[in-house]
Amino acid sequence: MTERREMPIKKGQGWKTLPHGGIIPEGGTAEHFMTGDWRTNRPIHHRDRCIDCMQCWAYCPDMAIIVEDGKVVGIDLEHCKGCGLCVAVCPPKVVALTLTTEAEAKKND
Amino acid sequence: MSEVKEMAAKQERQALTGNEAMALAMRQIEPDVVAAYPITPQTEIVQIFSTYVADGLVNTEYVPVESEHSAMSAVVGSAAAGARSMTATSANGLALMWEILYIASGTRLPIVMPVVNRALSGPINIHCDHSDTMGARDSGWIQIFSENAQEAYDNMFQAIRIAEHPDVLLPAMVTTDGFIISHGMEIVNTLDDKTIKDFLGTYKIPRNLLDVDNPITVGPLALQDFYFETKVAQADAMMKAKPVILEIAEEYEKLSGRKYSFFEEYRLDDADVAIVVLGSTAGTAKVVVDNLRKEGIKAGLLKLRVFRPFPYEELKEALKHVDVIGVLDRSDSFASLGGPVFSELRAAMYDMETRPLVTNYVYGLGGRDIDLHMIEQAYRELLEIKETGKVDQYVNYLGVRE
């Protein structure tokens, strides 16, 4: 996980200083929150089979595919919601991503 | 020639209906986006405006949507994107916008919308009463009522400036009475396009969606931890609109020679009995006041222009010397204590040292005509109450058959 920026709105901030109309004056603030903690399915990445085609990275709606130096190195489980899109787009001859249940996966955590 | 006459000479005198006057005002405002759906008696406003678009007289993106819910949703999006955005509606159309009215004000988007007042169904009715706008009185919109086409025209420009003021940033409705004003032709003094453009300036909100260098999130979830603060900030903005309304009115008076405030006082200074009313009925009531004055009766009138923010301090000050007040409401609250204007005004007076006696007349529902005799009858009843010192009935229905 990369180092987190400071959140533009502070916990406990009063109405006099908050931005108008509930606006959050910054993009990408999901990184401040564990938005993946209600996942029921979990994708498993198999590095040994991966060809780094980046289909999963392009399709992931939560930007949860972690890429370093042009290679897929894992999944950001704090933000992955287990939708399985990455598994669906992973080429059938490759199968570098498989889906399991969160309950099953937790046994090996 | 006096300054006021000079200003009047510079203006063009036109015979316009209320709808034509509001459509003309929209042409002069030239919003970036108009999204609209037709509904009687408002239809003409956006229909006339659409011809301006078709004729290339305005540079406006016109979105013909499939419902009022969509119209308000579209202008919420465009206003948040940084475009000056308008729509218009009436009655059931306003009711269909309901959900988005609150989103517009909660998101602090300065959308300006003419509302041509019409009774809400059922039974289905297309004529004037204020039940549509009054139902939206807690939606966080500024509400400005107009007595005639001239006021409707003038209120439109002022509403834009008030709504977009950095201390305010709230949406605003400008109303006219359906058919009575919307379809009645009157003389309207209009200002030239350049004067209006200079008065309005350009649309600017603190943050907008198309500013790619400063990305923002609009409409996020705000639960137990932030929703309450957002609402209090909204209430604060509504209170801050009060000095802005007066400031803008003063600026507009310098251009037009026409004076505006929260309300208009007519022969109220020394009045013993007074009527408080919104919209076109004020014109009829003024004639009654003049007639009664000829008889030596000290009758007065207060015509409320700004209902939101509700100017309760100023109303108390203006009415404190009056013995008996009759509040005319063109909508009912069905077994609440009177119509909305009555209950709010009466509540505002509660902590006054010497309180005027107040009674309520609900009138004109579904466009039922209100004439000089009915208003005179109300004044005579106020005089009776002054005599007896007692209000027997708080809610009276004026002009209904039993």
Side-chain angles (χ1 to χ4, degrees):
Chain A
M1 194 70 227
T2 50
E3 203 181 310
R4 285 176 185 178
R5 292 167 297 161
E6 208 181 320
M7 184 68 186
I9 291 168
K10 307 276 178 301
K11 206 172 180 175
Q13 196 174 335
W15 66 265
K16 288 182 182 174
T17 58
L18 279 170
H20 283 149
I23 281 168
I24 299 171
E26 200 175 273
T29 49
E31 72 166 311
H32 298 282
F33 302 95
M34 308 266 277
T35 56
D37 59 0
W38 48 273
R39 185 174 54 237
T40 52
N41 289 321
R42 187 196 289 188
I44 309 290
H45 181 234
H46 308 280
R47 183 57 250 175
D48 55 327
R49 295 207 287 268
C50 183
I51 58 168
D52 299 307
C53 66
M54 298 297 152
Q55 288 291 307
C56 56
W57 176 84
Y59 276 90
C60 176
D62 285 293
M63 298 173 75
I65 306 294
I66 305 167
V67 175
E68 280 171 17
D69 300 326
K71 287 190 181 309
V72 176
V73 297
I75 292 157
D76 171 3
L77 292 176
E78 288 187 355
H79 294 96
C80 167
K81 298 190 180 76
C83 69
L85 260 178
C86 58
V87 176
V89 298
C90 188
K93 286 182 184 170
V94 178
V95 201
L97 284 155
T98 52
L99 202 64
T100 183
T101 64
E102 186 65 14
E104 194 59 37
K106 273 202 170 125
K107 288 179 189 165
N108 304 319
D109 277 350
Chain B
M1 202 154 73
S2 76
E3 205 184 324
V4 173
K5 274 187 185 162
E6 256 177 64
M7 273 188 278
K10 271 189 222 159
Q11 295 176 46
E12 195 183 340
R13 275 166 72 79
Q14 300 192 52
L16 299 173
T17 66
N19 279 348
E20 286 168 352
M22 284 179 125
L24 173 64
M26 279 175 75
R27 181 182 70 67
Q28 294 185 298
I29 293 165
E30 198 179 358
D32 301 306
V33 174
V34 168
Y37 190 81
I39 183 166
T40 300
Q42 169 282 126
T43 303
E44 272 184 331
I45 297 178
V46 292
Q47 184 188 318
I48 296 166
F49 187 80
S50 73
T51 64
Y52 293 147
V53 177
D55 293 344
L57 295 175
V58 286
N59 186 18
T60 299
E61 187 67 34
Y62 190 92
V63 192
V65 286
E66 73 277 25
S67 77
E68 286 86 356
H69 188 278
S70 307
M72 187 46 64
S73 299
V75 292
V76 160
S78 59
R84 186 176 271 155
S85 307
M86 296 181 78
T87 180
T89 197
S90 288
N92 300 38
L94 184 65
L96 190 52
M97 286 180 178
W98 216 254
E99 177 191 4
I100 319 297
L101 290 180
Y102 284 74
I103 294 171
S105 60
T107 314
R108 305 290 297 278
L109 299 171
I111 298 157
V112 172
M113 169 167 71
V115 177
V116 181
N117 286 128
R118 160 185 155 178
L120 283 168
S121 307
I124 193 163
N125 180 298
I126 56 169
H127 289 280
C128 175
D129 70 33
H130 297 158
S131 54
D132 49 0
T133 311
M134 283 302 164
R137 67 187 183 272
D138 291 339
S139 65
W141 282 59
I142 290 164
Q143 296 186 326
I144 304 175
F145 283 77
S146 323
E147 181 187 327
N148 49 43
Q150 181 72 65
E151 290 191 5
Y153 174 81
D154 293 337
N155 283 338
M156 291 279 275
F157 308 122
Q158 294 178 66
I160 294 266
R161 286 285 307 279
I162 297 160
E164 294 176 9
H165 193 284
D167 291 348
V168 182
L169 290 168
L170 287 171
M173 309 180 180
V174 176
T175 78
T176 60
D177 283 351
F179 288 104
I180 301 163
I181 301 305
S182 68
H183 289 61
M185 192 163 288
E186 296 175 78
I187 296 288
V188 180
N189 288 300
T190 61
L191 295 158
D192 65 275
D193 293 359
K194 191 182 175 305
T195 304
I196 295 295
K197 284 264 175 329
D198 292 345
F199 175 72
L200 296 179
T202 50
Y203 178 82
K204 236 163 68 186
I205 53 172
R207 299 176 178 91
N208 73 66
L209 279 171
L210 295 185
D211 181 358
V212 289
D213 296 325
N214 300 292
I216 57 169
T217 304
V218 172
L221 201 63
L223 302 179
Q224 297 96 324
D225 51 355
F226 281 106
Y227 182 88
F228 202 169
E229 279 70 23
T230 311
K231 292 291 129 182
V232 174
Q234 214 179 306
D236 180 63
M238 194 56 108
M239 292 315 288
K240 283 185 178 144
K242 284 179 64 180
V244 172
I245 289 166
L246 297 181
E247 194 183 299
I248 304 287
E250 208 174 302
E251 204 182 312
Y252 190 76
E253 190 189 347
K254 285 183 189 136
L255 300 178
S256 66
R258 292 183 288 275
K259 201 174 172 59
Y260 288 95
S261 185
F262 298 124
F263 45 78
E264 181 194 333
E265 294 163 60
Y266 187 74
R267 306 186 85 159
L268 190 65
D269 284 352
D270 62 340
D272 294 334
V273 290
I275 274 179
V276 174
V277 69
L278 298 164
S280 64
T281 308
T284 318
K286 283 173 188 170
V287 177
V288 179
V289 168
D290 290 345
N291 291 344
L292 293 171
R293 285 275 174 174
K294 278 179 209 150
E295 283 182 37
I297 294 164
K298 287 183 174 171
L301 177 83
L302 187 144
K303 178 188 77 190
L304 194 53
R305 170 183 178 242
V306 179
F307 187 66
R308 283 289 181 272
F310 190 65
Y312 54 89
E313 289 291 346
E314 293 79 2
L315 284 168
K316 273 156 66 176
E317 189 57 34
L319 293 164
K320 65 179 182 196
H321 65 281
V322 179
D323 296 319
V324 188
I325 299 168
V327 179
L328 262 61
D329 266 293
R330 203 162 193 156
S331 61
D332 199 359
S333 284
F334 307 114
S336 150
L337 186 58
V341 186
F342 171 74
S343 57
E344 295 200 12
L345 182 66
R346 191 163 175 273
M349 290 178 164
Y350 184 78
D351 54 8
M352 285 167 77
E353 272 178 35
T354 49
R355 290 189 289 267
L357 295 166
V358 199
T359 189
N360 191 201
Y361 294 95
V362 172
Y363 77 99
L365 301 187
R368 172 66 49 84
D369 205 13
I370 176 140
D371 61 21
L372 297 171
H373 302 289
M374 289 181 201
I375 298 174
E376 189 185 326
Q377 179 202 326
Y379 272 110
R380 302 249 179 236
E381 284 174 18
L382 298 184
L383 288 166
E384 269 171 46
I385 293 169
K386 181 175 150 55
E387 250 351 88
T388 60
K390 211 164 148 265
V391 178
D392 287 327
Q393 196 170 327
Y394 290 119
V395 188
N396 308 276
Y397 293 95
L398 200 57
V400 75
R401 296 182 300 275
E402 284 187 8

